[in-house]
Amino acid sequence: MNTTILNPKTEFLLGAGLDVLHFESKEWMDTVDFWKDEVRFFNDLLKKKEVSKKNDPVYEMMLKNLDKVHIDLFDDLEVSIVEHEQLLSRIELAEKGLSDDDYREKHHEISLRMADFTKEFKAFKRVVFDYTKKL
């Protein structure tokens, strides 16, 4: 039995017009761009502390998590959103074999990934902030 509870906004958006879903995808890209700025900030912040903290396990864990953020954010999530928008373009051009159901299904998948990544990234930021407060 599937007990997943969807966010009411997600439920509403999945039934909305493609233009509304396209707008949400653009919001995701803006969010990803903001996260990129934050990642650069955290990278610079952690690199400044690198000399004195090379053998610190918490510091090492943060650097590994930062690498994971890079991979998830840049190599995976952003590419998925761009491909998703390309699918919308193909649907709008009435390419055979595609329907807006394909787009809606993919939209839902990306929405769940964005929510998961947001939670993980917030937890990572908390660790970094707590760590830097102690320095």
Side-chain angles (χ1 to χ4, degrees):
M1 176 170 90
N2 187 356
T3 59
T4 303
I5 298 173
L6 290 178
N7 178 335
K9 177 184 171 191
T10 302
E11 284 282 339
F12 173 75
L13 287 176
L14 288 177
L18 293 178
D19 58 330
V20 174
L21 299 179
H22 169 65
F23 181 78
E24 185 176 39
S25 294
K26 289 183 0 183
E27 286 180 329
W28 291 339
M29 288 304 295
D30 290 344
T31 300
V32 168
D33 287 341
F34 179 72
W35 285 339
K36 284 181 183 179
D37 290 340
E38 285 187 309
V39 166
R40 279 190 289 276
F41 170 77
F42 291 131
N43 191 38
D44 291 345
L45 180 67
L46 292 173
K47 295 293 182 190
K48 286 180 183 177
K49 307 299 179 190
E50 186 173 5
V51 175
S52 62
K53 301 295 180 186
K54 280 193 176 180
N55 294 323
D56 183 345
V58 174
Y59 178 78
E60 293 298 323
M61 184 261 320
M62 285 187 298
L63 286 181
K64 285 180 186 175
N65 282 340
L66 190 58
D67 288 340
K68 182 183 181 314
V69 166
H70 265 278
I71 290 167
D72 288 347
L73 183 60
F74 301 139
D75 296 343
D76 190 37
L77 192 55
E78 186 176 27
V79 169
S80 293
I81 297 169
V82 169
E83 289 173 352
H84 181 57
E85 285 299 284
Q86 290 170 345
L87 175 60
L88 177 61
S89 295
R90 293 170 48 211
I91 289 169
E92 288 178 341
L93 293 172
E95 186 175 310
K96 290 184 179 188
L98 295 178
S99 70
D100 65 347
D101 288 341
D102 297 330
Y103 184 79
R104 291 175 192 284
E105 182 179 321
K106 186 66 175 174
H107 195 88
H108 178 66
E109 291 172 15
I110 295 173
S111 178
L112 294 174
R113 289 176 53 206
M114 285 292 292
D116 287 344
F117 187 85
T118 299
K119 288 177 195 171
E120 290 177 24
F121 195 52
K122 283 180 181 178
F124 170 75
K125 291 191 307 187
R126 266 187 243 109
V127 170
V128 172
F129 289 142
D130 289 344
Y131 184 80
T132 57
K133 281 188 224 177
K134 297 174 186 173
L135 299 177

